[in-house]
Amino acid sequence: MEIIKINENKKKYIDLLLLADEQENMIDKYIERGDMYILKEEGRAIGCCVVTKEGEGIYEIKNLAVIEERQKMGYGKRLIEFVEENYRDCSTLYVGTGESDMTLPFYEKCGFVISHRIKDFFTDNYDKPIIENGVCLKDMVVLKKLLNNKKQ
């Protein structure tokens, strides 16, 4: 397993990105300003992560995806650990997601806690309803994790 930074042609991995964010024009809002990483195993891209700097010591995971057949095997957690290890000036790490029993427990298991909600985010910003496990996503749940990293 290796995690590599993608500096050019990020849209080459659009199929992976769309696993976590279903609308391409929403991905376009952060992909170029974010750092993008691909998790590869045996030469195959099986996961991705896009991280943006939101302020001094504040970063946000904008997109985190693992292909379906490799989910629940620790790859998503490994991508989060990679961000924590490599963003040494990060004191607060955020991630936004829908109120879904598919994603919230994962982030909570990784040490994130609910920070706040953005009311009607999915209904106001996406062209079509986003349905996860039979539930239509409406508000974005923003989670945060406080880190004790220090510059080295």
Side-chain angles (χ1 to χ4, degrees), residues 17-80:
L17 294 162
L18 286 168
L19 293 174
D21 196 338
E22 296 183 16
Q23 194 165 296
E24 190 169 348
N25 71 334
M26 293 298 284
I27 294 168
D28 290 341
K29 292 180 179 184
Y30 57 79
I31 191 169
E32 289 307 321
R33 74 179 184 93
D35 295 333
M36 182 173 174
Y37 300 94
I38 296 295
L39 186 149
K40 286 189 169 188
E41 189 171 68
E42 298 173 1
R44 179 180 176 212
I46 62 167
C48 70
C49 181
V50 178
V51 181
T52 59
K53 185 168 187 170
E54 300 299 323
E56 191 62 38
I58 301 170
Y59 291 85
E60 182 174 351
I61 296 173
K62 291 285 192 179
N63 191 305
L64 178 73
V66 174
I67 60 173
E68 189 172 355
E69 70 251 28
R70 298 293 176 92
Q71 291 177 2
K72 298 183 180 178
M73 298 174 71
Y75 294 108
K77 183 177 182 186
R78 179 64 194 115
L79 282 165
I80 290 172

Side-chain angles (χ1 to χ4, degrees), residues 95 129 152:
V95 64
Q152 294 184 2

Side-chain angles (χ1 to χ4, degrees), residues 61-121:
I61 296 173
K62 291 285 192 179
N63 191 305
L64 178 73
V66 174
I67 60 173
E68 189 172 355
E69 70 251 28
R70 298 293 176 92
Q71 291 177 2
K72 298 183 180 178
M73 298 174 71
Y75 294 108
K77 183 177 182 186
R78 179 64 194 115
L79 282 165
I80 290 172
E81 290 169 347
F82 175 86
V83 172
E84 293 174 13
E85 292 163 7
N86 288 278
Y87 287 79
R88 301 304 303 160
D89 67 325
C90 181
S91 59
T92 307
L93 183 60
Y94 286 97
V95 64
T97 190
E99 191 159 6
S100 166
D101 59 6
M102 292 173 59
T103 54
L104 283 177
F106 165 75
Y107 288 115
E108 289 170 339
K109 193 173 180 181
C110 290
F112 287 84
V113 295
I114 294 175
S115 170
H116 61 280
R117 295 173 184 271
I118 301 173
K119 188 171 174 40
D120 299 323
F121 179 84

Side-chain angles (χ1 to χ4, degrees), residues 116-135:
H116 61 280
R117 295 173 184 271
I118 301 173
K119 188 171 174 40
D120 299 323
F121 179 84
F122 293 104
T123 53
D124 289 349
N125 291 287
Y126 286 80
D127 296 338
K128 296 184 289 185
I130 299 174
I131 311 293
E132 282 189 14
N133 277 357
V135 175

